[in-house]
Amino acid sequence: MKILVPVKKVIDHTVKIRVKTDATGVETQGVKMSINPFDEIAIEEAVRLKERSIAHEVIIVTIGLETHQDILRQALALGADRAILVTAESATMLEEFDSLDIAQILKLIALKETPDLVIMGKQAIDDDCNQTGQMLAALLGWPQATFASQVTIESGIADVAREIDGGIERMAFQMPGVITTDLRLNQPRYASLPNLMKAKQKPIGTMKMSELNYTPRQRIVTQTVFNPPKRQSGQTLSSVSELTQRLFETLSPSS
Amino acid sequence: MKALVIAEIDKHSLKQATFSCLAAAQKLATTVDLMVFAPVDHALHTYDFRGWSNVILVENITCETHLTAEAMTETILSQASTYDSILFPATMFGKNIAPRVAAQLNVGQISDVIDIESSDSFTRPIYAGNALAKVTSSDTVKIITIRTTAFSPIAESGPSSKKLTCPFLMEKWQKRVWVEKREGTQNLRPELSTAKVVVAGGRALGSAENFQLVEKLADIFEGAIGASRAAVDAGYAPNDYQVGQTGKVVAPELYIAIGISGAIQHIAGMKDSRIIVAINNDPDAPICQIADYTFIGDLFKVVPELIHELTTRKRYG
């Protein structure tokens, strides 16, 4: 079984983001970038399936710039076999892709690589869209299992526990299909130094966007990015009875 | 302009999220239809449609385990051609289906909309709500998920409503994908995303037993219970209690955060609450920067005292 894991390079989740003064976006210059945390969970799940001999190959793909090789090396150090980098012509072009553009490009990669399973993060922590996995499944005509917290593969069937609004849903689909990962699917490992060294030998195939014959739509366009309204800072209370009083005031209809 | 809203339901009712979506849809269209994926008889006898005038009930849903994203998408697509926009609540339910519908229509999706400026311009949070983006869409059909806390639900609109039906298209998918079962969290409390009061606990609670302190406090307010990711990961609370960037987004009248430091991912899910109270032993915790009232102290002392005072005042006050 072959698993394709699409990943995205995002501002590290520990960084406090700053909106650019010209309101065109968020400052990324000199800011620490990492693999989207949900994608790390996807890599981990794929690698574990390989370690249990359920999968025989784990392929990472990202759509980015030449400089995105670093996250592919990182993914390879975590145990993936090889990686594909699809490069956009420019950083501006990359920023303008909407989720459907990304899903269309991933579809072309999936048709080339014919994986049995795509495992990917449920959302990227930059645009918080939560769309690409479902879109890719739809474009391929495949079933999907989103927000997975447990995955079991047996005789061509993926059994998935999904985190839903009121609890857990257990569902299954016949592969091929797309799984998107939720937080509790696994705890990703750290790459060891020897594995980081070994990852340097693993192959990364690069192709230009233009070679894929896909023209981006870019129909959902970000016009401005701005700071949300700030909350007024509050007051520190010193006694439980004062706190009780405030709680009563908050909930009484006259307030 | 015509819009379609996909209803969020449970066994007993159309959820509040549905009525918020209808309110959002009214900003986009003069005619708004509501599609409900529930057995027709059950829906007619059980649900309060608040007099909404255009309801489409999906026929032949014999078992809720047939309700997969794939089959619901096919059904929605069979009705999609007359609509300028299709709206879903930005809940796990809506997020699962909406992108599938969008991709099959070859249009983009606008996620988590908090404001609608015009029929093609929307505001949505990015980076866990640490920034807002105004986006435009040039697609002919707009597929939108609605941050339901940002739109007041519609009120009762009339005594009767017109019901249409459409067939449930599951044949193509039923052998390829199926739901085995849904394990609901036992919960007699108000729904977390719409409760007036939410009491939430974090890692500092230390154990599932201690988490009962949160429950006791919530009992006093007849409130819902929330949890930080750390508390859920540690097994103190079930997954559907999680409030935050990737969990539930809440905006109650009162949010009490107990032993929650306030990672940006958590704050993303509750910062629109009207009044925030933080009980924490660390005055530098990020939650204290956004709280209206902060109490610095040991939660194991403060919370029992608070429960005692509140109960006494409630009884005699």
Side-chain angles (χ1 to χ4, degrees):
Chain A
M1 187 177 91
K2 204 167 164 182
I3 305 177
L4 182 68
V5 183
V7 300
K8 184 178 186 182
K9 188 171 178 173
V10 297
I11 294 181
D12 188 84
H13 71 100
T14 57
V15 171
K16 196 166 170 16
I17 58 124
R18 281 198 331 274
V19 172
K20 284 187 193 164
T21 44
D22 64 0
T24 54
V26 163
E27 194 57 69
T28 52
Q29 286 291 322
V31 170
K32 186 184 175 199
M33 306 286 284
S34 301
I35 302 178
N36 177 41
F38 288 96
D39 304 346
E40 277 188 320
I41 297 172
I43 297 166
E44 178 67 30
E45 196 65 17
V47 168
R48 287 186 192 184
L49 287 168
K50 194 187 166 191
E51 286 168 346
R52 295 205 298 271
S53 303
I54 296 164
H56 72 268
E57 190 177 27
V58 176
I59 308 157
I60 309 292
V61 57
T62 196
I63 298 153
L65 306 168
E66 278 298 329
T67 52
H68 288 37
Q69 297 244 4
D70 54 350
I71 63 158
L72 295 178
R73 288 283 168 219
Q74 180 74 20
L76 292 170
L78 293 169
D81 297 290
R82 63 186 168 94
I84 302 165
L85 171 61
V86 181
T87 54
E89 257 107 87
S90 67
T92 321
M93 184 186 191
L94 185 64
E95 269 175 33
E96 283 171 357
F97 288 151
D98 58 34
S99 303
L100 188 57
D101 286 321
I102 299 296
Q104 292 280 13
I105 297 163
L106 292 176
K107 177 193 171 184
L108 297 173
I109 301 294
L111 291 177
K112 261 190 195 184
E113 295 290 340
T114 63
D116 303 281
L117 202 56
V118 174
I119 309 181
M120 56 200 288
K122 74 167 181 178
Q123 79 190 63
I125 59 162
D126 50 6
D127 61 27
D128 283 332
C129 276
N130 196 329
Q131 301 175 1
T132 311
Q134 296 90 312
M135 286 179 163
L136 176 61
L139 295 175
L140 288 165
W142 289 3
Q144 68 185 43
T146 53
F147 327 142
S149 63
Q150 198 180 33
V151 174
T152 318
I153 310 280
E154 220 183 302
S155 9
I157 307 281
D159 253 287
V160 180
R162 301 180 53 231
E163 298 202 355
I164 58 169
D165 296 308
I168 296 284
E169 174 183 279
R170 296 193 175 273
M171 54 92 66
F173 66 78
Q174 197 156 43
M175 295 195 291
V178 176
I179 293 173
T180 75
T181 59
D182 217 316
L183 289 169
R184 277 165 283 277
L185 181 57
N186 60 49
Q187 184 71 50
R189 70 193 69 187
Y190 293 98
S192 66
L193 193 58
N195 285 342
L196 281 166
M197 299 308 286
K198 261 193 262 171
K200 289 187 179 161
Q201 310 303 321
K202 291 184 181 176
I204 296 181
T206 305
M207 68 177 85
K208 289 202 171 76
M209 264 288 304
S210 49
E211 290 169 54
L212 283 170
N213 266 332
Y214 173 72
T215 316
R217 319 154 51 255
Q218 303 172 335
R219 278 187 270 181
I220 299 206
V221 179
T222 299
Q223 303 295 344
T224 53
V225 172
F226 51 100
N227 283 308
K230 267 216 165 70
R231 281 190 83 98
Q232 299 290 325
S233 57
Q235 79 193 96
T236 302
L237 307 177
S238 51
S239 75
V240 171
S241 56
E242 204 183 349
L243 177 56
T244 311
Q245 180 61 29
R246 294 284 182 257
L247 291 177
F248 266 92
E249 282 167 13
T250 301
L251 292 174
S252 69
S254 58
S255 70
Chain B
M1 299 291 260
K2 217 174 151 192
L4 178 66
V5 167
I6 310 302
E8 169 122 2
I9 57 170
D10 61 19
K11 278 205 176 63
H12 316 290
S13 62
L14 294 178
K15 289 210 205 168
Q16 199 77 308
T18 303
F19 298 111
S20 293
C21 267
L22 286 173
Q26 283 180 324
K27 296 195 164 200
L28 283 170
T30 44
T31 308
V32 180
D33 292 350
L34 177 66
M35 183 182 259
V36 183
F37 284 92
V40 174
D41 281 345
H42 178 77
L44 288 174
H45 288 116
T46 319
Y47 294 163
D48 174 5
F49 292 94
R50 298 196 183 171
W52 197 254
S53 60
N54 304 61
V55 175
I56 303 171
L57 297 168
V58 180
E59 282 189 311
N60 305 323
I61 299 173
T62 48
C63 179
E64 70 159 6
T65 58
H66 296 154
L67 289 171
T68 59
E70 293 78 1
M72 287 190 272
T73 299
E74 297 296 337
T75 308
I76 294 164
L77 290 172
S78 73
Q79 305 296 311
S81 63
T82 59
Y83 296 104
D84 305 290
S85 54
I86 305 179
L87 296 88
F88 301 75
T91 57
M92 300 300 174
F93 166 79
K95 288 174 182 178
N96 189 29
I97 313 168
R100 228 183 143 93
V101 172
Q104 287 195 231
L105 291 170
N106 195 30
V107 299
Q109 178 191 312
I110 309 112
S111 292
D112 265 310
V113 167
I114 57 168
D115 197 14
I116 297 173
E117 281 87 35
S118 70
S119 60
D120 55 11
S121 177
F122 309 89
T123 303
R124 57 178 307 267
I126 56 175
Y127 289 94
N130 288 301
L132 300 176
K134 187 176 278 191
V135 301
T136 54
S137 159
S138 55
D139 284 317
T140 48
V141 186
K142 312 285 190 287
I143 305 297
I144 299 163
T145 63
I146 292 293
R147 171 73 63 95
T148 54
T149 50
F151 295 87
S152 302
I154 57 137
E156 195 73 37
S157 60
S160 69
S161 57
K162 188 173 76 192
K163 306 287 190 304
L164 305 168
T165 57
C166 80
F168 184 43
L169 303 178
M170 58 175 279
E171 292 75 19
K172 188 175 153 195
W173 287 101
Q174 60 180 339
K175 291 213 167 68
R176 290 177 69 193
V177 56
W178 56 94
V179 174
E180 278 151 0
K181 59 177 171 179
R182 298 200 168 98
E183 293 159 5
T185 306
Q186 282 297 324
N187 205 342
L188 301 168
R189 296 172 187 281
E191 201 191 325
L192 178 55
S193 17
T194 50
K196 285 214 157 42
V197 178
V198 174
V199 183
R203 197 203 320 253
L205 267 303
S207 72
E209 289 86 68
N210 291 343
F211 205 83
Q212 286 171 4
L213 268 181
V214 174
E215 292 170 24
K216 278 187 196 147
L217 188 55
D219 283 342
I220 295 173
F221 299 108
E222 293 169 20
I225 297 174
S228 68
R229 177 191 172 184
V232 176
D233 283 356
Y236 307 163
N239 66 277
D240 54 323
Y241 283 17
Q242 185 175 321
V243 171
Q245 180 182 20
T246 74
K248 291 204 168 71
V249 177
V250 303
E253 289 289 299
L254 172 62
Y255 189 93
I256 307 180
I258 301 173
I260 293 178
S261 63
I264 50 174
Q265 291 81 2
H266 183 78
I267 288 174
M270 45 66 78
K271 70 181 165 65
D272 294 326
S273 307
R274 192 169 73 85
I275 298 288
I276 296 170
V277 174
I279 299 173
N280 212 292
N281 61 5
D282 175 11
D284 296 325
I287 192 96
C288 303
Q289 313 309 310
I290 64 151
D292 299 278
Y293 304 115
T294 298
F295 192 98
I296 303 300
D298 174 7
L299 71 91
F300 295 109
K301 258 186 72 190
V302 178
V303 178
E305 267 181 56
L306 181 62
I307 290 171
H308 178 76
E309 284 226 16
L310 284 166
T311 324
T312 319
R313 266 196 69 160
K314 216 176 160 186
R315 201 171 294 147
Y316 305 107

